[in-house]
Amino acid sequence: MSKNSDQKEHNPIDWGGPFKLYFRLSLWLALNFAVCAVIGLSFLSKMQVNDIDQKLSMRIGNFAGRVAGGLEEVAFEQDEDEAFIAGQQIILTLMSDPAIECAELRDLNGDAVLEAPQGLGCYPGVSLNSMTVPVYWNDDMDLLLHWKRDEVVAAEERQRNLTFVILGSGLVFAILSNLLAFRRIIGRPLKLLVKSIERAKITAEYNATHDVLTGLGNRRKLDDELVYRAELKEVLTILNIDLDGFKLVNDTLGHDAGDEVLRVCANRLVEGALEDEVLIRTGGDEFVVFLPPDAGIDVAKERAQNIIDAISRDIEVHGERCNVEASIGIDTGKLSGRKDQATKIVSNSDVALYKAKNENKGGFVVFDESMRNLTETRRALGEDIKRGLDHGEFTPYYQPQVTVGDHKTVGYEALARWHHPERGVLKPQDFISVAEEIGVIHRIDEVILRRAIDDLRKWDLAGIDVPAISLNVSSRRLFSQGLLPQLRSQDIPKGKITFEIKENAIFDKKTKILRWNIDGLRDLGIGIDLDEFGDGKASMASILTINPSRIKVAKELVQSKDTDKTKRNALRAVMALARNFQVELVAEGVETLERMKMVENLGFQRLQGFHIAPPMPPDAIRDWVTNGIVDADALSNKRIA
């Protein structure tokens, strides 16, 4: 999508309208034909009878009246023989018509009273080969005329011909009437239907290559563009973009808010787009930008920085302020006509993006070949982490916290360790960043908490006094709506568990979900400490947000040298802030006797670090509680030191 591209209007077609019109047309045609057929067939049935009656009357001709009169005379004739002869004469007169097979006079019981001589045409079974037409002349007797079969066949043939004529005429009438209806009723809607189909085709083609949510191109558009750019045989420059902090928006404010953030970010990409630039949303919070063919690496860097600046501006959704940033990977190369070359540039930009997210989050990185091995290693590590979680390889190690002066143990921090089957025991710095990238950091949090609760119960049964355990909680879990229900299901002992929340996890993210979860944690008897305090974020805002019981000062400040005046001043400011809020201070990273004395003199209340004790496995806690020493065998693996 270029900067000057017109937004296409998406008008869905109401397919019900055209189908209703077709249904009307079909119903109209069927009804017309049915009416015409019924009328025609009714007419034919009458025509058949009338045809035969008329033929009979015509054949009898002018002497029909005389025949009737003669029969009347026969009926009143006194001499039976004379009446019989007169009646026969009349019947013979009727049979003089070549269409009549036989004529006979029958009484109401069906018995023959008078019939033509057998030799003249009447014979047994004549009715089987002829059509009988009764002629009623009085209340006592019927005159029956047997019509010849060939005459009947001829009449039936005429009837069929007339049937075809009438039905054909009806069909023609139905078609003509429907043509009229088509023009008057269907014609204009049909034109609209044709236009709708054309629009539907355009819309379908557009939707097939564009993302419904943002209006940018989709993965199919990406493939089409790769083929097109390869055919151009020009320089291809790709910006691969990923939004940092987007998952947190989805987790805290819901998917509707996440969709709105994506739309805003897409609009900001369009606003600053170059001429002939193509923008694509490849899925989730990931975007790809095809720069114009004449753009070089300098233009790519400038465009990347503009995108970073635009995306980082605040976004307000549902009254909440959302902060997302853009990390960008860049690669460029000359194409010679092969799509795989273009695909490789996209892959390279993805590798550069991977490095940007890990080493320059909120910035951009230009690809070079040295990055690929590192990226593949981290991807393999990600798969290994998932396998380790499935096989229960993550476990807590415990580092004591002691009071200043008497060094009494007042708690332990549970630190995640990974018992890797090949590399031994790994510390968080070996896997945490990758776990965050692949979205499983919350699973590690859950495993460490579950193991810590089990260890507390075991120590309690064994008579080992463990005052409390503090654990790190990831921002993703802290902002999750499912956090409190999950914790309630675990029967956490009140006053024994403390969550350590990193300052940068809540900086500028004071949402309703956060406040709800903080209050809920306190209701469950879970303490709250602020971890890594003083790393340059808005410390005052962080304290006001969560109102912690203790503050753990960042190691960088605790371990600062006397000559580093900036850090020393920051440390003093943190101390003063804590005193004003009456919050207990914990110094972590105390690794030497000299450092321990320094922080004690500054006014810290708790100490934690390797000078006190290193993190130890659960089995070593008994020796520490009993003798104040660490089991050397339990710590024989140097990787945990």
Side-chain angles (χ1 to χ4, degrees):
M1 177 180 293
S2 63
K3 182 178 180 180
N4 61 351
S5 294
D6 293 330
Q7 292 290 333
K8 294 183 175 60
E9 181 181 1
H10 300 274
N11 294 322
I13 295 177
D14 179 13
W15 289 102
F19 283 125
K20 289 179 181 177
L21 293 175
Y22 278 126
F23 176 75
R24 289 181 195 172
L25 179 60
S26 301
L27 185 60
W28 180 276
L29 180 64
L31 288 176
N32 270 280
F33 186 74
V35 170
C36 292
V38 170
I39 294 174
L41 293 176
S42 299
F43 178 72
L44 279 177
S45 63
K46 293 180 180 179
M47 285 293 294
Q48 179 186 11
V49 175
N50 291 337
D51 181 61
I52 296 174
D53 289 345
Q54 289 172 7
K55 286 183 179 295
L56 178 61
S57 298
M58 290 171 61
R59 295 299 179 100
I60 293 175
N62 295 328
F63 60 84
R66 288 187 285 114
V67 170
L71 290 174
E72 288 286 346
E73 292 178 2
V74 170
F76 293 99
E77 187 69 47
Q78 297 297 323
D79 186 355
E80 182 176 349
D81 292 335
E82 291 180 0
F84 181 80
I85 294 171
Q88 267 193 341
Q89 185 64 42
I90 292 172
I91 290 175
L92 289 173
T93 302
L94 290 174
M95 291 181 60
S96 63
D97 189 302
I100 297 177
E101 183 82 17
C102 178
E104 56 184 340
L105 193 66
R106 291 184 176 273
D107 60 19
L108 296 181
N109 295 323
D111 297 328
V113 175
L114 184 65
E115 61 183 3
Q118 184 169 342
L120 294 178
C122 288
Y123 55 89
V126 68
S127 60
L128 298 176
N129 297 314
S130 61
M131 178 179 176
T132 302
V133 180
V135 180
Y136 299 95
W137 60 280
N138 67 16
D139 295 334
D140 297 323
M141 297 183 184
D142 291 339
L143 175 62
L144 301 180
L145 299 179
H146 295 275
W147 205 258
K148 288 185 178 180
R149 174 56 58 185
D150 55 351
E151 293 291 338
V152 175
V153 171
E156 290 176 349
E157 181 67 23
R158 287 190 295 274
Q159 178 187 3
R160 280 194 297 271
N161 293 337
L162 188 57
T163 300
F164 290 138
V165 170
I166 293 179
L167 290 180
S169 300
L171 181 59
V172 170
F173 173 75
I175 292 174
L176 291 176
S177 63
N178 275 285
L179 286 176
L180 177 62
F182 187 86
R183 292 194 62 182
R184 297 292 299 272
I185 301 174
I186 311 298
R188 184 173 178 274
L190 184 61
K191 292 180 180 178
L192 296 177
L193 172 63
V194 172
K195 291 182 179 179
S196 297
I197 293 174
E198 292 175 351
R199 286 197 301 268
K201 181 180 179 182
I202 295 173
T203 302
E205 291 175 351
Y206 180 86
N207 290 339
T209 57
H210 287 77
D211 175 52
V212 176
L213 179 64
T214 64
L216 304 183
N218 57 17
R219 283 195 170 275
R220 180 173 174 180
K221 177 68 173 177
L222 174 68
D223 291 337
D224 293 345
E225 193 67 23
L226 290 174
V227 173
Y228 172 69
R229 294 299 181 100
E231 291 174 350
L232 287 180
K233 298 181 181 181
E234 295 180 349
V235 174
L236 174 61
T237 304
I238 294 289
L239 305 185
N240 207 319
I241 306 169
D242 185 85
L243 301 182
D244 302 317
F246 175 73
K247 290 182 179 178
L248 186 60
V249 174
N250 260 345
D251 292 341
T252 57
L253 299 180
H255 291 286
D256 289 341
D259 289 346
E260 181 61 24
V261 168
L262 289 174
R263 279 191 288 265
V264 171
C265 291
N267 290 337
R268 291 178 181 178
L269 289 175
V270 173
E271 289 170 1
L274 304 175
E275 194 73 24
D276 296 328
E277 182 178 292
V278 177
L279 301 173
I280 302 227
R281 180 189 174 208
T282 56
D285 57 347
E286 299 172 353
F287 302 86
V288 166
V289 177
F290 287 80
L291 292 182
D294 57 348
I297 193 64
D298 292 335
V299 174
K301 291 179 179 179
E302 182 180 356
R303 176 69 173 124
Q305 189 58 55
N306 291 338
I307 291 174
I308 291 169
D309 295 340
I311 297 297
S312 64
R313 299 200 306 267
D314 289 344
I315 301 173
E316 187 169 324
V317 180
H318 307 323
E320 298 283 356
R321 187 173 59 177
C322 303
N323 298 97
V324 294
E325 295 179 335
S327 294
I328 302 178
I330 304 173
D331 191 35
T332 185
K334 182 70 168 64
L335 303 179
S336 61
R338 300 203 327 260
K339 180 188 174 184
D340 61 318
Q341 293 174 324
T343 303
K344 185 176 181 180
I345 292 176
V346 175
S347 176
N348 291 343
S349 67
D350 189 45
V351 171
L353 170 64
Y354 198 84
K355 184 172 183 178
K357 289 182 67 66
N358 287 281
E359 300 180 10
N360 190 27
K361 185 169 289 189
F364 64 84
V365 170
V366 179
F367 174 80
D368 65 64
E369 289 296 335
S370 63
M371 298 177 187
R372 188 170 294 279
N373 290 337
L374 176 62
T375 302
E376 294 300 326
T377 299
R378 292 180 70 86
R379 286 178 176 171
L381 180 60
E383 295 300 319
D384 224 12
I385 290 172
K386 294 177 183 178
R387 180 201 55 76
L389 283 167
D390 293 338
H391 289 79
E393 296 174 2
F394 289 86
T395 186
Y397 272 44
Y398 300 94
Q399 187 172 37
Q401 292 180 359
V402 301
T403 56
V404 170
D406 59 3
H407 297 171
K408 179 182 177 181
T409 301
V410 288
Y412 299 83
E413 180 180 3
L415 301 167
R417 293 294 186 267
W418 180 9
H419 287 264
H420 195 282
E422 297 176 359
R423 301 171 60 187
V425 181
L426 303 182
K427 294 186 292 185
Q429 55 263 41
D430 297 323
F431 58 83
I432 286 297
S433 63
V434 177
E436 289 176 341
E437 290 169 16
I438 64 176
V440 298
I441 186 64
H442 65 287
R443 291 183 58 189
I444 295 177
D445 287 352
E446 293 167 4
V447 168
I448 299 304
L449 175 60
R450 186 169 59 251
R451 294 283 185 89
I453 294 173
D454 291 342
D455 289 339
L456 273 174
R457 294 193 178 106
K458 292 177 183 178
W459 291 326
D460 186 57
L461 292 174
I464 300 173
D465 181 29
V466 174
I469 294 177
S470 60
L471 309 97
N472 292 305
V473 58
S474 63
S475 59
R476 177 174 179 178
R477 195 163 183 231
L478 182 64
F479 286 87
S480 172
Q481 295 180 353
L483 174 63
L484 295 179
Q486 184 186 59
L487 294 177
R488 291 190 185 103
S489 67
Q490 292 185 266
D491 191 23
I492 297 175
K494 288 191 175 183
K496 288 283 191 178
I497 297 294
T498 297
F499 279 179
E500 294 187 3
I501 302 172
K502 291 184 179 181
E503 180 188 348
N504 59 8
I506 60 171
F507 170 65
D508 231 7
K509 300 184 181 74
K510 300 178 285 297
T511 67
K512 294 178 182 178
I513 295 296
L514 172 64
R515 292 190 288 271
W516 176 270
N517 282 343
I518 293 295
D519 293 340
L521 292 175
R522 290 197 171 95
D523 292 341
L524 291 173
I526 298 175
I528 299 173
D529 290 356
L530 188 59
D531 195 15
E532 295 186 7
F533 187 79
D535 64 353
K537 300 292 183 181
S539 302
M540 179 73 74
S542 302
I543 294 176
L544 293 175
T545 299
I546 68 171
N547 189 22
S549 302
R550 282 170 291 277
I551 292 176
K552 298 185 74 173
V553 180
K555 291 181 181 180
E556 290 77 6
L557 299 183
V558 173
Q559 297 174 352
S560 61
K561 298 179 180 179
D562 294 339
T563 56
D564 192 341
K565 293 183 179 181
T566 301
K567 290 186 178 180
R568 300 294 286 182
N569 290 334
L571 181 59
R572 292 188 182 95
V574 169
M575 301 293 297
L577 190 64
R579 282 193 295 269
N580 289 335
F581 281 96
Q582 297 182 345
V583 178
E584 197 173 22
L585 280 172
V586 181
E588 59 178 345
V590 178
E591 299 183 356
T592 64
L593 177 61
E594 178 185 5
R595 190 63 53 188
M596 183 181 72
K597 290 180 179 180
M598 185 270 291
V599 296
E600 287 181 338
N601 292 333
L602 286 173
F604 282 83
Q605 286 78 38
R606 293 190 180 191
L607 307 175
Q608 178 183 339
F610 278 84
H611 182 71
I612 308 301
M616 61 191 78
D619 295 342
I621 295 298
R622 178 188 292 274
D623 288 340
W624 172 260
V625 171
T626 305
N627 305 316
I629 61 173
V630 179
D631 184 354
D633 293 335
L635 301 179
S636 59
N637 191 330
K638 294 181 180 180
R639 283 193 174 90
I640 69 170

